[in-house]
Structure formats: C-alpha cells, structure tokens
Amino acid sequence: MSLQVCQGGNTGFPIKLNQTIFDPWPGVKNEDIQKLIVPTDVEVAWAPASSANITATYVNQIYHIGGFDSIASGTTLTLGGARYRCSPVLTLCGIQHARLSYAKDVTNEIILVFTIETKNDNPSSPDMVFMCRPAILTDKQEMSIQLWSSVNSAVKNKSASNLSGFDLSTLFAYNREVMMPMMSYETCIATRLIGGPNAATEGSAKIRVVVCSQPMYIYAESNGTGKCDRVTKYTVPDRDGMRLLNVFQQSGASSYTNIQFTDRKSDNGKTNEFPTIPSPIANYLVLGLSGNMVDNWEGALQAFEYLIPDVFLGKSLASIARSTVPPEKKTGKKAFKCYTIDPRKDVVNDQIMIDPTTGEPLKDTMDALNRSSAGGDPALAMALGGQAVESSGIQPADIEDVFVYIFSFIGGISLLSYLFYIIRHFMAHRYSEGITHIVSFIICFLILFAITYNLEKDSENKRSKGKKSVNTGYVMYGDDIKGEIPVTKILKGVRVGPTMADVYLAQDANIVRVLCIRPPELGRNDPATFVGDASSIQTVDEIFAKASEYINNNPDEFRPGTKRKDYKIKPAGRLAAPAPVAPSAPASQSIEIPSAFKSLLGSMSGGQNIFGN
C-alpha cells in the first residue's frame, strides 16, 4: 500500500507470459530452469473442517461463493513476519494464469484473497495475497470435490446449500500440512481513494500472487458453475476491497470511504484511468488491466519463483509440477553407532560400506544375500554381484585357438623341412639355388607369421569381448526395446540420491538402457538412457554424466508431459530366480564420503529426472 503510483517492476493483473513456463525455453539449460525453485515462504494455518451454508452470487460478470465465514475467520496466512486475514468469499472466473498451469486445458480459475492485518508493523510486506488455482470444468461429478455440487445447487435454487465437513485446504493444499507447489510473483496495482470530503487521490497496492501449478476439476452444470465461463475478469470481493481501504486508512488516509482499481490505461500507459464515479461499487474492484508481458527467460527468472514445500526439495521442476500427491515425508530420528573403518576394505568408490547391524564390511553381507538369491549357484551369485561371468562350454574363440595351433604346427613343420632342404643345397655347393631358396624361406616365414599373428589377435579379441559380456541371468524389456535384451552389468548397493539402489545396465546396439531399482518401500524404480558402452561403466556418477548428456542432446524426449520410459527386469528364460529387488536394510545404511556426495549432487543439479530422488 502506498499513496504513490506504481514505479518499476511488475504492474497490473495478471502478468502475461509469451509461453507456458513449464515448456522448454529456447537456449536455456535444465540447471538454469531449476533456479526457479525455492522453498515456500507461504504458510497457512487452516481452520478445522466444519459445516458451511454455501451461497453463490452470479451477476454483472461476478461469480462469488460465500457461506463459510467461520472457516475463513479461523484461517490465517503468514508471509515473512506478516499475518494475513482470509477472505470469506471465493471467486470463480475465467482463466487468468493459463501459462502458469502445468495442464494445457485449463479454462477457469479459483481465487481466494488474504489481506494484511497490521501494515504499520510490516510496511514492506504485500498488502494482499491472491491465492489462485487454475480449474477445468467437467461433467463427471466423481472427479470433483463436494463443494462444487453445493455451489451448483445454490445457484440453481438461489438459496444456501448446506455442506458438511468443508475443508478449505482442499482447494490449495495436498493436505492440512503440505501446500501445493505454486508459481509466485509480485505486482503493483494502481488504485484511487474516493469518497469523503477530500478530492480523489491515486496510490498503489502491492499484491503477492501465488498460483497452483496443478489444476482442480470442477463439476459443472449449465445453470450452476457452468455460468462462470462468462466471467472474463477478476473482481475483488467487496469485503476485501473494504479491508484494503482499511489498510490505507491505517496510514493516514482515513478521510476516504471507497477504493478503486484501474481498469485501463490511456496515453500509451502513461496515465491510469478508473471507473466513472458514481458506478456500482463492484465495478470499482475489477482488475481489468492486464499486467506487463514477460517474453524471455531472463525476465521470467526475475519475475517468478516456484514455491515448493520441503518434501519436494531436490526434485526437477517438471516432476514437481506434475505431482498430484506429495512425496512421503520421512519422520523420526535414526540411531547412530560408531565402527572402526578399514580404508582398504570398507571404502568402495568413495563410499563407506559398513553393515550397521554388525559393523562388518557391507560387501560380505551383500555377497551372502547374492548367494542366497542365487540358490547356491556361484556363477549366478557373481552375476548378481555385478561381476563378469564367462559363459561355460566351447566358445568360438576356443575353436579358433585350436585352428591356430594346428595351422602353426603344420606351417612350422613345413618350414623346418624346407630349411633342411636349403641346407642340403649348400652342402652340395649349389649356392645360387640355395640363396634363391633362402629368399623364398624368409618370405614364407613372414607370411606364416603374419597369418598366425592375425588369427591369434582375432581370437584374443573375441575372448576379451566374451569376458566383458556379463551373463547376469536377467533380461530387460519395455518401451523402445525390441523384445528382450540381456542385462550386461549390475551395480549393486550403490547410492543414488539419498537412497541405496541396484542399477541394471543393458546394451541395446549403441544405446545403454538403465534401470535403477530402489528398495520396495519407496514404491518406484527409475529408468535412464545414454549412448555408449555399458561394460565401461564403473560408478553411478558416470551414468549421471552420460544420461545428462543424452537429455541435453534429445530435449524433445523430455518435454513436460512426455510419457516416461518404462523399463522392466525379469529372469532370463532358463533361470527360476525371482525378479531383482533392491535390498532395503543393510545397503540403505551405507554412508557416502562428503566429497563424493557433493559431486553426485552437482551432477543432479541440472534438474532432469535421470533417476529421480
């Protein structure tokens, strides 16, 4: 609130964008997009759910919903050090923030106003907070909360409709403790104080706008909520307009009786224009002047913040925006024990690998688990542990070795016989013929050596390739995979984000398909893809780096709303072992050395959901 006109920054409502904020921005890297995300500074203490007599007013381009006064009076919002009073009126209007919504088919918007209680104690805080939620009208009642059925009834019957157990938090929060992720911006609205003995005077109101990225479905009937399609602009409820006037009065503007918002500009925006006096009071509070246009990434990063609750920290912007439920909040404290660490045995790939229940090296515990899962088969146990297992039986390289030995033996005997033949020429003093045969002998020897050497190298290459190929006993199948491909490498009990997991790699031509299998209590597994050789991968950091490069080179595969790849693992046909499940007890307790953990976090900061978190 100020008795000065808006100067600089965002002005008007709503702010306009030249593209949906969740779509890729030309030339902008994923790690830069992540800069929008900040922990939320908005806290709401919601009143307990209780009965309400829902009323609905549709008249003169206004659609207001009331009848929950006691619930509103028990609800407060805190922003920084300032407290805000909740409006007893909801507004339903046409969509104001289509490009701040993750869904593309939003048509309407719900807006609830919070007004500052004591401006003098918090002079720099916004005067009002507009809490907004994009909405989609639907004819399916089961997709909507009960509130909208009551609103339909109130409009059709032109009388209050009783609603039991109305919880205001269901409009803007996952539950009473966790707010929904919201795009946030501040804007300045030109105002004019009128009425009373003094001449009208212009001022401005600072408004904080927060917009839920996930839309709400509203059950619509043509003679009920369906009428809101005709409401194009947002009108602040009268009671909230009077509350804002009271904010001005606290600072000395007590001689005025009404407040107006500008509804248009003249002179190319140099002069504000306000509704003609007198006119219906409701017309004074129409926010009819669209805000400034944000048409580039730098402007978006300066204007907007994506407020998220703590449970979403570390997630990518797209994954947060599409979340319809919050991640589980981990509670409770873990007990800690002290163990002696042998760096030669207990540190693997910058991770301290200790079984917390015994203090023994975690490798011993994992080996025991692998032997148990393999039913005592040593080869399968090695495969489950991510070790290379050579295929049994005669291999192509073995056959070539036999051929090389036979060829070398016959060639050597032939050359040796030829050598004796040459010696006989010299003993018979036939020197000219002997010299000719010596030249022929050398040529034959070089030819035999070259052929033998090439055959031996080819055999070694095939044998080496065979050693790199891991017979893990599992195959991978799913999206973009033709049939089934063998899992060629397994990284067991490695840290991925904050949890331990098993990472399975399958070579598909020049593409490596990756599936990160987490402990079952987390309820999800995560896929990844990159170009390269699976046999060369030794650490999760390498996978993150290559998968990030793949994402940057193939952005169209990872646009918001694109279906996530679905890979699955199962035992190969000859095996009866169950499909793999990441261990959830000892492995999940390994401790990562800080430097490596920082490195892993750095590789994840790009925001792509390579493995999730």
Side-chain angles (χ1 to χ4, degrees), residues 428-442:
H429 304 289
R430 295 194 293 270
Y431 298 113
S432 59
E433 294 181 17
I435 291 173
T436 302
H437 285 296
I438 286 177
V439 173
S440 299
F441 176 85
I442 293 173

Side-chain angles (χ1 to χ4, degrees), residues 1 45 61 76 124 176 194 233 237 287 344 359 401 466 529 574:
M1 177 278 307
Q61 286 289 303
T76 57
S124 61
R176 299 179 61 79
I194 60 175
K233 298 179 180 180
L287 289 173
R344 295 169 299 177
D401 282 345
T529 307
R574 69 180 182 85

Side-chain angles (χ1 to χ4, degrees), residues 209-339:
V209 183
V210 290
V211 184
C212 296
S213 51
Q214 268 291 330
M216 165 172 273
Y217 284 93
I218 294 178
Y219 174 49
E221 296 182 13
S222 59
N223 293 325
T225 52
K227 291 183 176 182
C228 68
D229 272 346
R230 306 166 199 168
V231 181
T232 57
K233 298 179 180 180
Y234 171 54
T235 300
V236 175
D238 295 346
R239 280 192 272 186
D240 298 307
M242 296 309 295
R243 286 180 177 179
L244 181 61
L245 176 63
N246 182 58
V247 173
F248 278 89
Q249 291 174 341
Q250 291 177 24
S251 299
S254 57
S255 59
Y256 297 98
T257 59
N258 268 312
I259 190 169
Q260 290 180 303
F261 293 133
T262 182
D263 63 352
R264 59 193 183 281
K265 283 187 177 181
S266 59
D267 305 328
N268 294 322
K270 297 179 182 178
T271 305
N272 293 314
E273 290 188 1
F274 296 87
T276 304
I277 305 173
S279 65
I281 292 179
N283 292 346
Y284 295 166
L285 303 176
V286 177
L287 289 173
L289 176 64
S290 295
N292 52 282
M293 170 65 77
V294 177
D295 57 5
N296 58 65
W297 171 249
E298 290 74 18
L301 190 59
Q302 184 176 3
F304 298 100
E305 291 181 328
Y306 196 29
L307 308 182
I308 64 168
D310 291 344
V311 292
F312 282 105
L313 291 176
K315 305 286 185 183
S316 69
L317 184 140
S319 67
I320 296 170
R322 62 172 172 259
S323 296
T324 56
V325 294
E328 291 185 10
K329 186 176 182 180
K330 297 180 180 179
T331 57
K333 296 182 179 180
K334 295 181 179 179
F336 293 91
K337 296 180 181 180
C338 296
Y339 296 109

Side-chain angles (χ1 to χ4, degrees), residues 43-116:
E43 297 181 6
V44 181
W46 302 100
S50 64
S51 296
N53 290 314
I54 299 299
T55 61
T57 302
Y58 170 69
V59 61
N60 296 332
Q61 286 289 303
I62 293 174
Y63 202 116
H64 287 164
I65 301 164
F68 55 95
D69 294 48
S70 62
I71 297 174
S73 63
T75 299
T76 57
L77 181 147
T78 304
L79 180 61
R83 279 168 51 93
Y84 292 77
R85 301 166 60 190
C86 178
S87 171
V89 179
L90 280 166
T91 298
L92 185 56
C93 59
I95 186 67
Q96 305 294 303
H97 297 98
R99 291 185 170 174
L100 298 185
S101 170
Y102 185 73
K104 300 290 197 300
D105 53 348
V106 289
T107 55
N108 296 84
E109 194 157 328
I110 310 157
I111 302 179
L112 181 64
V113 176
F114 292 83
T115 308
I116 195 166

Side-chain angles (χ1 to χ4, degrees), residues 337-348 350-356 358-362 589-594:
K337 296 180 181 180
C338 296
Y339 296 109
T340 302
I341 296 175
D342 184 347
R344 295 169 299 177
K345 297 189 302 179
D346 301 332
V347 178
V348 180
D350 289 336
Q351 291 181 330
I352 301 173
M353 308 295 280
I354 293 291
D355 186 339
T358 64
E360 298 297 323
L362 186 59
Q589 300 295 328
S590 69
I591 308 166
E592 188 162 0
I593 291 176

